């Protein structure tokens, strides 16, 4: 239990997928204009990464490794992730059309979000069990959600500040993301 807690805290804060490993930058910068949209994207990513971690770990442990076909991991993992994202997209389109519209092109981009594939491959590389893989995936997704919601909150506040014209738009967002990455380095002493 202690090991699982260490993995969860390490994945969410210390080795934050966006701010430490720089994976998933596209939705991090693209969907972080409003807190509501960022939270919706975070929820979708939590669902996809957690479920993808569980399913890919099961396929890896029960099918690919016993058959000696681990060379197919990347292809199989991408197919699983694409299917899961399609399910999320259909669900949101039917039950939450406003969130579906707000996420726009970034929702299908979860399929190609390198953070989702990166978690699945990391779980396989480290030889995590199915339970550990699922917990790691959930923690990574929570870390992603924390980062994107924090950035969205900061970006909303920045709209009301007087910012130099040279820094308006993308430059101030990149500076903010960089400062957040430095701040998250402070978590490295936890574990």
């Amino acid at each position: 239990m202690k090991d699982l807690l260490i993995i969860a805290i390490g994945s969410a804060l210390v080795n934050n997928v966006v701010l430490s490993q720089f994976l998933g930058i596209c939705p991090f910068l693209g969907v972080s204009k409003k807190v509501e949209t960022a939270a919706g994207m975070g929820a979708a990513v939590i669902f996809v990464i957690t479920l993808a971690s569980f399913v890919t770990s099961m396929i890896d442990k029960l099918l690919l490794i016993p058959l000696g076909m681990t060379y197919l991991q990347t292809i199989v993992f991408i197919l699983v992730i694409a299917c899961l994202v399609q399910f999320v997209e259909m669900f949101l389109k039917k039950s939450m059309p406003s969130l579906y519209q707000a996420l726009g092109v970034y929702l299908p981009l979860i399929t190609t979000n390198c953070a989702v594939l990166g978690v699945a491959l990391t779980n396989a590389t480290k030889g995590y069990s199915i339970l550990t893989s699922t917990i790691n995936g959930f923690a990574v997704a929570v870390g992603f959600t924390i980062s994107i919601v924090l950035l969205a909150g900061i970006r909303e506040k920045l709209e009301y500040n007087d910012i130099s014209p040279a820094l308006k738009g993308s430059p101030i967002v990149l500076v903010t993301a960089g400062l957040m990455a430095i701040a998250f380095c402070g978590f490295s002493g936890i574990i």
Side-chain angles (χ1 to χ4, degrees):
M1 185 66 177
K2 180 182 174 186
D3 293 336
L4 292 176
L5 185 62
I6 289 172
I7 288 172
I9 292 172
S11 296
L13 299 176
V14 178
N15 298 316
N16 186 286
V17 71
V18 177
L19 300 173
S20 295
Q21 298 174 7
F22 306 110
L23 297 174
I25 297 292
C26 179
F28 175 69
L29 296 175
V31 184
S32 60
K33 292 178 182 160
K34 295 185 187 262
V35 172
E36 299 85 30
T37 310
M41 175 59 98
V45 167
I46 286 174
F47 177 77
V48 170
I49 289 182
T50 304
L51 200 55
S53 296
F54 174 73
V55 173
T56 56
S57 184
M58 278 186 50
I59 290 171
D60 192 43
K61 299 281 186 254
L62 303 175
L63 188 66
L64 297 178
I65 292 173
L67 295 176
M69 297 171 38
T70 54
Y71 57 90
L72 292 175
Q73 280 177 334
T74 305
I75 294 168
V76 171
F77 292 176
I78 288 172
L79 290 173
V80 168
I81 292 164
C83 289
L84 291 172
V85 170
Q86 287 303 310
F87 286 129
V88 169
E89 190 172 0
M90 288 186 303
F91 173 77
L92 288 179
K93 188 174 187 177
K94 186 147 184 105
S95 63
M96 298 180 212
S98 60
L99 179 59
Y100 175 79
Q101 290 295 329
L103 292 176
V105 72
Y106 293 100
L107 185 59
L109 282 178
I110 294 176
T111 304
T112 58
N113 186 343
C114 53
V116 182
L117 180 60
V119 172
L121 291 173
T122 299
N123 290 338
T125 303
K126 291 189 176 183
Y128 286 160
S129 69
I130 295 171
L131 175 64
T132 307
S133 295
T134 306
I135 290 173
N136 182 51
F138 178 75
V140 166
V142 167
F144 176 87
T145 303
I146 290 169
S147 336
I148 196 170
V149 169
L150 282 175
L151 182 62
I154 293 170
R155 285 180 76 172
E156 283 184 355
K157 296 292 182 190
L158 285 174
E159 286 183 25
Y160 302 108
N161 290 327
D162 188 28
I163 298 171
S164 167
L167 287 176
K168 283 190 178 181
S170 296
I172 194 69
V173 173
L174 293 174
V175 168
T176 304
L179 291 172
M180 285 176 61
I182 292 170
F184 268 67
C185 286
F187 290 120
S188 63
I190 290 177
I191 295 178

